[in-house]
Amino acid sequence: MGGTDSVWARGLQTAVRLVYPPRCLACGGPVESDFGLCPACWRETPFIGGLVCDACGTPLPGDDPGEAVHCDDCIAHPRPWAQGRAALLYRDAGRRLVLGLKHADRADIAQPAARWMAAAAASMPLDGALVVPVPLHWRRLVARRFNQSALIAAPLARALGLAHAPDLLERVRRTAPLGGQDRGARAATLEGALRVAPRRAAHVTGRPILLVDDVMTTGATLEAAARALSDAGAGAIRVVVLARAAREA
């Protein structure tokens, strides 16, 4: 009976692939397996590797000195978290993937994004950490129908073998879009906008946190979230994002 079921399942899978062949996540062209990139888009996807800023994940020139190093931005503006990593640079195919996930209902991007982010985060000590996505305001969530950071956070937690708390943080005030605002304006816009949900406060005390978002530009949203977690008594906070906006070298 089991053999018959297995043959039937393989036949069904073949039929599905004939009707819905695997497509490249970035361009929609044919690929060999689901959730993959075609060779051209793989070459255009700016995966981050080598030496990176220990606080924000921005790639840095030079060889690994064997100790934590920081970019000029993080030296000038220290982050309210211990470490940070990013999987991609926010340009080329990396930008298309983020925008597809965020604005084009491309939930299929979340699973491979989580794998890439898990690989980026693997260099940080995460034992016992709670995976927490940056929240949307409920009105924006209703309009968009999903929180892209939460879509990534669930498979990321599974990949890292960590607990997931999708509702730990909440955005209590709807804020204006941050695009076009400088660092100071973004910080002012987000002042008091995020907090730890009162019903979940007991889960935060002393607990290490892995904070998750789709993209980091100035880092203002992540900083607001990290401060809310710190105010609630969280332990060491680390962040990971799918893409990091960085100045061209």
Side-chain angles (χ1 to χ4, degrees), residues 135 167-172 192-205 228-229 231-232:
D167 58 349
L168 184 68
L169 282 173
E170 58 185 17
R171 195 176 294 241
V172 295
L194 281 76
R195 71 175 183 183
V196 169
R199 67 186 182 283
R200 301 301 304 275
H203 297 272
V204 177
T205 305
L229 289 162
D231 290 346

Side-chain angles (χ1 to χ4, degrees), residues 22-185:
R23 296 290 180 181
C24 173
L25 289 168
C27 73
V31 292
E32 293 184 358
S33 60
D34 292 321
F35 309 116
L37 294 166
C38 70
C41 288
W42 182 269
R43 289 191 296 270
E44 291 183 8
T45 303
F47 290 98
I48 294 175
L51 182 64
V52 300
C53 172
D54 195 51
C56 74
T58 293
L60 297 173
D63 298 323
D64 188 346
E67 59 185 18
V69 292
H70 297 91
C71 67
D72 291 344
D73 193 33
C74 290
I75 292 172
H77 305 280
R79 307 292 183 174
W81 57 74
Q83 291 177 289
R85 295 291 185 271
L88 313 171
L89 285 173
Y90 186 62
R91 58 173 172 80
D92 305 327
R95 184 174 185 274
R96 294 198 298 273
L97 289 166
V98 170
L99 293 179
L101 175 66
K102 196 166 188 169
H103 299 299
D105 294 339
R106 292 288 310 280
D108 57 312
I109 294 172
Q111 182 173 321
R115 291 200 305 269
W116 301 332
M117 292 165 69
S123 62
M124 299 187 293
L126 298 172
D127 289 350
L130 195 59
V131 178
V132 178
V134 169
L136 292 177
H137 187 268
W138 70 267
R139 289 183 179 175
R140 187 161 293 169
L141 181 61
V142 168
R144 189 176 290 174
R145 304 189 307 281
F146 62 89
N147 175 3
Q148 69 278 1
S149 298
L151 282 180
I152 299 170
L156 175 62
R158 290 194 296 270
L160 293 171
L162 299 174
H164 177 220
D167 58 349
L168 184 68
L169 282 173
E170 58 185 17
R171 195 176 294 241
V172 295
R173 178 169 56 79
R174 189 173 187 180
T175 56
L178 300 179
Q181 297 185 32
D182 62 19
R183 181 187 297 273

